[in-house]
Amino acid sequence: MTPAVVIVGRPNVGKSTLFNRMVGGRVAITLKDPGVTRDRLIKPCHWRDREFLVIDTGGYVPDSDAEIQQEITRQVEIALQEAAVVIMVVDGTTGLVPLDIEIASRLRARGKKFLLAVNKCDIKRRFDETEFYRLGAEKLFIIAAEHGTGVDELLDEIVSQLPPAKIFPRPGLALAILGRPNVGKSTLLNQLLGRERAIVTTIPGTTRDTIEEIFEFEGETYRIIDTAGIRRRPRIEEPVEYYSVSRAIDTIENCDIALVVIDATEGPTAQDKRIINLVTDRNRGLVIVANKTDLIPPELRKKVTDYITTKLQFVNYAPLVYTCALRGKGVWDAVQQAKAVYHSGAMRISSRFLRATILAQLQEQPPAPKCRVISLSQTDIRPPWFRLRVSQPEEVGSRYQRFVINLIRNQFRFTGYPIRLKVTD
């Protein structure tokens, strides 16, 4: 079950503003519980590499009609029953009021620990921060939900308090071999599985034509996922193309890193590029294997490698390994590159370091004269996701997004993974 984070507090303290800031507005479809008179909003939130639900509850209103108040209270109680983390929001511009103290008392009486978000601190007001510690919160965060100030730190603390994610164990890093027919996929597979001590066991696959083999290399276990070649599509109606693409998609979605094999004697074809796009569209790590180098005359190798590099500029962040699978040359270099890509995709860049490197450049070169660049933060890994906050998101076009991604790429590389960017206000 996905853990839930519940936001509680009296009316008009900014609970819904914080809710919208956390979920990013258009993250997912809003869910509503059936049969509830006053609905509570539920949306998923992704932060770092964790997913959790954020629940926005109605404000506690003691002076409302009793029936309405009972319904609000009932919804809060339902939400609190399964809450992994509780956030109580108060208004920093008014200070503590009796209703805040009453809500905190109710939480403590239920045995619920909670984080305290002191909101609206973008409005200048002198207040004694220690007064809010009277509520008995585990930690206190000074935020301005309207502008996002302090929300990143709050989300970091939320993730640290979530229960451990349930991970279904899979043996080793999963590699998929993809490519057109006759580019040498089977030969590459046989080389990987034909080494001494190579095959450990055979695992039946989850899809129709896919099997998984396990091999060891340099003391580590790998899974290799094999599938049929993807043929060129002369007519979309042909079943063979439908199933080959379907198998490829299944394989990609079940792998960590895709090894896309091309024929070095032909160079990257249109179909090779389609296969590469299938991988990048699904946010998997990518290594390109140019096979059959033994068939290239020595005097043409420089020209061929230059041609292949030029044709693959659209994924110039992916390692390119030249192999002769028939003779075993370069095969294990591809595995080493896959391992390097996987580790590269797990890299996290702190918001402080981003401010010191990328953000200053973006603020000097905003997307539009009146569009202010506010912050840049990394929100996820594999692939690396970044959130760019600007004052006018509609001013950030695709060209500027590419500019931001290129700055990140040049600074931090993230070898083998596409960099994703989300623009918010």
Side-chain angles (χ1 to χ4, degrees):
M1 179 181 294
T2 305
V5 175
V6 178
I7 303 173
V8 299
R10 60 184 174 86
N12 301 319
V13 293
K15 297 189 304 299
S16 294
T17 306
L18 176 59
F19 173 82
N20 289 330
R21 176 64 61 186
M22 290 173 66
V23 303
R26 293 183 294 274
V27 174
I29 298 172
T30 300
L31 304 177
K32 294 186 177 183
D33 290 347
V36 178
T37 306
R38 296 174 66 87
D39 296 320
R40 61 188 188 274
L41 286 177
I42 306 174
K43 283 191 178 182
C45 177
H46 298 264
W47 187 253
R48 304 305 181 190
D49 54 347
R50 291 301 304 271
E51 179 181 13
F52 52 93
L53 297 177
V54 183
I55 304 176
D56 183 19
T57 62
Y60 180 67
V61 187
D63 295 330
S64 295
D65 177 83
E67 184 178 352
I68 296 176
Q69 181 52 47
Q70 288 174 5
E71 183 59 34
I72 294 173
T73 302
R74 188 177 75 86
Q75 289 199 57
V76 174
E77 295 290 330
I78 292 172
L80 289 173
Q81 284 176 5
E82 296 184 352
V85 180
V86 178
I87 305 169
M88 179 178 171
V89 184
V90 297
D91 187 339
T93 65
T94 62
L96 277 183
V97 300
L99 189 51
D100 294 327
I101 297 172
E102 182 177 348
I103 294 173
S105 177
R106 283 172 172 260
L107 291 174
R108 293 197 306 271
R110 291 180 56 91
K112 286 289 184 182
K113 297 179 180 180
F114 60 95
L115 305 176
L116 187 66
V118 183
N119 193 28
K120 303 186 183 179
C121 290
D122 51 326
I123 302 174
K124 291 184 178 179
R125 172 191 175 271
R126 293 183 179 179
F127 63 89
D128 183 4
E129 185 176 312
T130 58
E131 67 174 324
F132 293 103
Y133 285 103
R134 292 172 49 196
L135 297 178
E138 283 190 295
K139 288 189 178 181
L140 184 147
F141 295 86
I142 306 298
I143 70 168
E146 180 70 28
H147 303 291
T149 306
V151 176
D152 286 3
E153 290 76 10
L154 176 60
L155 284 166
D156 286 342
E157 180 61 28
I158 289 170
V159 168
S160 73
Q161 294 200 11
L162 292 176
K166 291 184 179 180
I167 301 174
F168 298 96
R170 296 186 307 169
L173 183 64
L175 309 179
I177 299 179
L178 300 170
R180 297 180 291 115
N182 302 319
V183 294
K185 296 188 307 302
S186 296
T187 308
L188 175 62
L189 178 65
N190 289 335
Q191 284 288 349
L192 293 174
L193 300 180
R195 282 174 58 96
E196 185 178 359
R197 299 184 302 112
I199 299 177
V200 178
T201 186
T202 300
I203 303 174
T206 56
T207 57
R208 199 167 36 253
D209 299 310
T210 300
I211 59 170
E212 298 181 11
E213 304 284 351
I214 293 179
F215 68 92
E216 289 186 357
F217 176 59
E218 295 184 343
E220 296 190 32
T221 302
Y222 293 82
R223 292 189 303 140
I224 193 80
I225 308 175
D226 184 30
T227 188
I230 305 175
R231 300 182 182 275
R232 184 176 62 85
R233 179 172 52 187
R235 292 190 304 275
I236 197 169
E237 303 85 35
E238 289 192 5
V240 65
E241 172 60 18
Y242 170 81
Y243 287 118
S244 64
V245 173
S246 176
R247 285 194 301 269
I249 292 172
D250 288 341
T251 301
I252 293 167
E253 291 179 347
N254 283 285
C255 80
D256 296 310
I257 307 293
L259 306 178
V260 177
V261 184
I262 66 173
D263 187 335
T265 64
E266 298 179 9
T269 66
Q271 185 65 0
D272 292 327
K273 293 178 180 179
R274 291 189 191 101
I275 296 169
I276 290 171
N277 285 332
L278 285 175
V279 175
T280 58
D281 288 348
R282 283 155 183 81
N283 297 318
R284 293 301 188 264
L286 172 66
V287 175
I288 300 172
V289 179
N291 193 34
K292 302 186 181 181
T293 55
D294 56 313
L295 301 181
I296 303 174
E299 65 273 13
L300 295 179
R301 285 177 185 170
K302 176 66 165 59
K303 186 175 182 180
V304 169
T305 55
D306 289 346
Y307 174 77
I308 292 174
T309 301
T310 301
K311 288 292 184 180
L312 293 175
Q313 274 299 305
F314 71 105
V315 284
N316 58 4
Y317 55 84
L320 175 58
V321 181
Y322 289 90
T323 66
C324 171
L326 187 63
R327 299 177 182 176
K329 293 182 178 180
V331 169
W332 299 102
D333 292 339
V335 177
Q336 289 174 329
Q337 288 293 338
K339 179 182 176 180
V341 166
Y342 189 71
H343 289 304
S344 174
M347 183 168 55
R348 293 183 183 278
I349 312 301
S350 70
S351 296
R352 178 180 298 179
F353 197 47
L354 286 170
R355 283 195 297 271
T357 53
I358 306 296
L359 184 60
Q361 299 180 62
L362 298 179
Q363 290 174 334
E364 290 177 2
Q365 297 177 265
K370 295 183 179 180
C371 183
R372 183 168 57 91
V373 177
I374 301 170
S375 68
L376 179 69
S377 58
Q378 185 179 358
T379 61
D380 213 341
I381 61 171
R382 297 194 185 112
W385 270 94
F386 290 82
R387 180 175 67 179
L388 177 67
R389 290 185 55 223
V390 296
S391 58
Q392 299 177 19
E394 66 276 4
E395 295 291 341
V396 182
S398 58
R399 183 175 180 181
Y400 192 80
Q401 291 188 40
R402 286 194 298 271
F403 169 67
V404 175
I405 290 173
N406 286 337
L407 285 179
I408 296 171
R409 180 78 70 190
N410 292 337
Q411 184 71 39
F412 305 112
R413 304 302 298 170
F414 288 107
T415 303
Y417 276 95
I419 295 173
R420 302 304 187 193
L421 183 69
K422 181 177 182 179
V423 181
T424 64
D425 57 9

